[in-house]
Every structure is written in structure tokens, then in C-alpha cells.
Amino acid sequence: MKTKSEARRQHILDVATEVFAETGFERASMAEISARVGGSKATLYNYFPSKEELFLEVMISTNQQQFSAVQQLLKVSDQPLRQVLQGFGEALVKLIYSPDVLAVRRLVIAEAVRSDLGYDCYCRSRKQGEEKIAAELAEAVARQHLKDYPPALMTSHLLTLMESEFIDRMVHRSAPPLTDQEVSAAVARALDVFLGFYSA
């Protein structure tokens, strides 16, 4: 039955999430995941044809709801654009530098030199997010809040600036958690630069 299949698929994802978190992508095995799930490897491969695809599904299913909620904050409206961007930026930085998301990002980067996992992950997650952000910035251009530059370029600059003060945490395993004050101040400085150039 479909309900049973969906429940089984979710159980596999839950178990795989634990295994990847414990061992990392490279050392995790489909045999270990299958043993913990209970059942044959053949059944596991019926749901997920490869370890790479399973990892990608784990990453997306784990974080998609949170990222969608953050993207909803970036809705160009009658509110001042800077206020909208500030709220969006703070929520985004807190999410992408949360321990769980940061761990996934490190795994994806580590695997990017060995397989297509990094690019596949980009296409199914970050790229889609960038396209939604670009659409909102295009709306800001249409409302004459921003200068008429390619939305994809503005998106790249915006995201890079918002993350710029914390990027070293990607390689700093024991960095202390970010405080709300740190994030708010860093996003404000990023917007000083972004809006200093792009404001209409």
C-alpha cells in the first residue's frame, strides 16, 4: 500500500540521517543503513538507487521546511526593502550556520571533489532558493526600489555579503555559536554595502 511505502521511505531517511551524522558520507555504507532499517539491501536500493541519492534526499528532507520558511520572509511588499532584507538575512544566516546545516554543507563540499554530489545538491537545493530570491529582487527592481541589474547577479552579491563575516566557520569546527547580536550587526553591514550600490 502507498501509505506503508511512504512510511518505509521515511523510516529509511530517518535511519540514514543518523548514520550520516555519526560516520560522515564517505564512511557510511548502504549495508549499515539497511541493517539498522531492517530488511534487505535490495529493498533499500528499490527506494534509493545509490548512497549519493539517499544522502541528497536526507539533506533536502531535513532542511527543506526550514529553508522554505526563511524564503517566505523575502516578500517584496509595501514594507521598507531594507527591513525585509534584514529579517530575511538574519533568519538565513542563523539557519545556514546552525550545527545541522553547517555539518551537511561541510559534507557536501568534501564530497564535491570525488563525485557529482556537490553539484546535484546545488541543483536541487541552493539553486532553487537562489531563483526564488532572484524573483523577489526582480520585483524590487520593478517597484523601483533597486537599480536594474540582472537579478541573478544581485542575488549572488546579496548572499555572499550576508555570509561573508562567518565563512571561516566552514573550517572552524569548534567556533562558538553565533549570537543574535552578531548576526544582526553583520547582516546590517552587508546591507550597507548591497544597498549602497544597488538602491535606486
Side-chain angles (χ1 to χ4, degrees), residues 15-34 36 51-52 54-55 107 110-111 114 117 173:
V15 170
T17 299
E18 294 175 359
V19 174
F20 286 132
E22 291 171 10
T23 66
F25 173 80
E26 187 174 4
R27 288 188 294 153
S29 71
M30 294 293 266
E32 171 66 16
I33 294 169
S34 177
R36 293 199 196 185
K51 186 173 74 167
E52 288 79 8
L54 176 55
F55 176 78
L107 279 174
E111 289 304 313
R114 290 187 283 267
L117 180 64
R173 188 177 63 162

Side-chain angles (χ1 to χ4, degrees), residues 36-171:
R36 293 199 196 185
V37 167
S40 68
K41 281 201 293 184
T43 300
L44 179 58
Y45 280 106
N46 281 337
Y47 284 91
F48 300 99
S50 69
K51 186 173 74 167
E52 288 79 8
E53 185 167 334
L54 176 55
F55 176 78
L56 195 58
E57 288 298 327
V58 165
M59 191 221 60
I60 291 172
S61 65
T62 299
N63 301 311
Q64 189 59 50
Q65 187 173 3
Q66 292 172 292
F67 276 105
S68 295
V70 170
Q71 288 168 2
Q72 289 299 313
L73 298 175
L74 186 59
K75 289 293 182 184
V76 176
S77 62
D78 294 332
Q79 289 182 295
L81 180 61
R82 181 171 186 125
Q83 180 180 329
V84 172
L85 292 176
Q86 182 74 32
F88 164 75
E90 290 179 14
L92 179 66
V93 170
K94 289 175 186 177
L95 177 56
I96 63 177
Y97 283 94
S98 64
D100 289 346
V101 175
L102 195 54
V104 169
R105 295 176 74 194
R106 287 170 176 154
L107 279 174
V108 169
I109 291 170
E111 289 304 313
V113 298
R114 290 187 283 267
S115 71
D116 292 330
L117 180 64
Y119 184 69
D120 291 343
C121 180
Y122 169 74
C123 289
R124 293 189 58 189
S125 56
R126 184 179 174 100
K127 182 180 180 183
Q128 295 179 20
E130 289 174 351
E131 289 171 351
K132 292 177 182 178
I133 295 167
E136 291 300 326
L137 295 181
E139 176 64 20
V141 170
R143 291 174 178 245
Q144 299 183 329
H145 297 318
L146 297 175
K147 295 175 183 175
D148 190 6
Y149 280 87
L153 176 65
M154 291 193 290
T155 298
S156 178
H157 287 167
L158 179 64
L159 295 178
T160 301
L161 286 166
M162 286 181 169
E163 185 174 9
S164 62
E165 294 186 30
F166 307 118
I167 196 68
D168 62 322
R169 288 170 178 263
M170 292 291 293
V171 295

